[in-house]
Amino acid sequence: MAASSQASLLLQKQLKDLTKNPVDGFSAGLVDDKSVFEWSVTIMGPPDTLYDGGYFNALMSFPSNYPNSPPTVRFTSEMWHPNVYPDGRVCISILHPPGDDPNGYELASERWMPVHTVESIVLSIISMLSSPNDESPANVEAAKEWRDEREAFKKKVRRVVRRSQEML
């Protein structure tokens, strides 16, 4: 059986599981019924965080050899966060290719493993929203503001949350 058909079957199962048993904090579904490899995700800003009340849309794109390789996740909603590149791509350890980190920042155990599911990925992103990692930022400006100008950071995030609500 080809890797892409195995990936397709696994993604169909994960979609079915999420449809039957929705998880608090996000919703997920296919962008288009023609492809199980492109998902649309809406993440609710986690309660008691700066992102509380926001609704953030993202695209998850799965490779044909999923789950051996991680998907990419990109916010399509505006996002201001140290671990989100200015173009919306999410940068967290579990989305990095498996194995040793060529830069030496992450342990292999922190990187992608085939046991991850759509649910565990999105829950990791929700956790990232709750507690940014400014040690190895994707958005250096946001990380610097998070560290040095917390009130300015909070103000930008409040604006991002407001805009996400207006897009509903």
Side-chain angles (χ1 to χ4, degrees), residues 53-55 158-168:
Y55 294 88
R158 280 193 297 270
R159 190 180 71 236
V160 165
V161 167
R162 260 193 325 277
R163 285 187 181 156
S164 79
Q165 293 166 337
E166 291 166 3
M167 300 305 270
L168 286 178

Side-chain angles (χ1 to χ4, degrees), residues 16 37 72 100:
K16 187 177 173 187
F37 292 95
T72 58
D100 291 326

Side-chain angles (χ1 to χ4, degrees), residues 17-147:
D17 291 348
L18 281 172
T19 304
K20 275 174 136 173
N21 305 305
V23 178
D24 284 346
F26 75 94
S27 63
L30 301 181
V31 169
D32 181 329
D33 288 339
K34 292 182 186 99
S35 174
V36 76
F37 292 95
E38 294 288 325
W39 290 43
S40 174
V41 178
T42 299
I43 296 173
M44 285 61 121
D48 304 320
T49 70
L50 297 176
Y51 300 90
D52 192 356
Y55 294 88
F56 305 102
N57 296 317
L59 287 175
M60 290 181 86
S61 300
F62 296 88
S64 61
N65 68 340
Y66 176 82
N68 295 320
S69 293
T72 58
V73 181
R74 185 177 59 81
F75 279 102
T76 55
S77 300
E78 181 183 356
M79 180 54 70
W80 184 247
H81 191 282
N83 306 116
V84 178
Y85 287 99
D87 70 359
R89 284 178 299 131
V90 174
C91 180
I92 55 175
S93 299
I94 70 161
L95 292 177
H96 296 160
D100 291 326
D101 179 4
N103 301 313
Y105 292 119
E106 301 165 334
L107 299 172
S109 61
E110 297 171 318
R111 295 167 69 87
W112 178 257
M113 286 187 262
V115 297
H116 286 297
T117 62
V118 170
E119 180 179 341
S120 69
I121 295 163
V122 178
L123 291 175
S124 293
I125 293 169
I126 292 169
S127 174
M128 170 204 80
L129 290 175
S130 301
S131 51
N133 173 5
D134 62 359
E135 300 282 317
S136 61
N139 184 329
V140 175
E141 256 186 81
K144 187 171 176 357
E145 201 170 75
W146 166 258
R147 275 194 301 267

